[in-house]
Amino acid sequence: MAEFSTRQVGDLSVTVVDVTGTLACGATGTGALTRVVAGLLEEGRTRIVVNLVEVTEADQHGFRELADCYVLASRGGARLRLAAFDPQVRELLAAGHLGSIFEVFGSEEAAVGSFV
């Protein structure tokens, strides 16, 4: 089961969404992460980092939800970055050809700093 928490980071008004657990079919609840991102957009948050350092497993359904979040953020005038992937999750992202869609960073700090 995936859990989500949000927090503000630094002087750049960046919102970090920490994802913990499994980002896979049935584990996140349909659209749960998308609803979190939608809520941030409603609050006027336009710099979003989805931090996946605590994700233990992901599948194509989880990546589809990440893609949905990216489209939602883009349409809402926001920028969304991904941070701190486990090597296995990075491989799945590359295998699904999603690395060309997302801006992916090795750490939360790098992703937050990319908004400068």
Side-chain angles (χ1 to χ4, degrees):
M1 177 75 115
E3 296 181 13
F4 311 100
S5 61
T6 61
R7 57 192 164 84
Q8 293 298 118
V9 176
D11 298 332
L12 299 172
S13 298
V14 176
T15 303
V16 175
V17 179
D18 292 306
V19 182
T20 305
T22 302
L23 191 59
C25 182
T28 59
T30 304
L33 180 57
T34 305
R35 286 191 298 277
V36 170
V37 171
L40 295 173
L41 294 172
E42 288 176 11
E43 294 173 8
R45 305 292 178 187
T46 59
R47 297 174 175 183
I48 302 168
V49 172
V50 178
N51 185 0
L52 301 170
V53 70
E54 296 295 327
V55 170
T56 56
E57 182 181 345
D59 70 4
Q60 66 183 9
H61 300 285
F63 288 128
R64 176 181 284 270
E65 184 157 11
L66 286 172
D68 290 345
C69 290
Y70 179 83
V71 169
L72 181 66
S74 295
R75 288 182 179 163
R79 294 182 293 165
L80 185 140
R81 313 276 204 268
L82 302 181
F85 273 99
D86 174 273
Q88 180 183 9
V89 175
R90 280 182 182 253
E91 288 176 18
L92 289 170
L93 184 67
H97 304 289
L98 296 173
S100 62
I101 296 172
F102 296 107
E103 291 185 66
V104 182
F105 296 85
S107 70
E108 175 186 317
E109 294 79 16
V112 169
S114 73
F115 285 106
V116 175

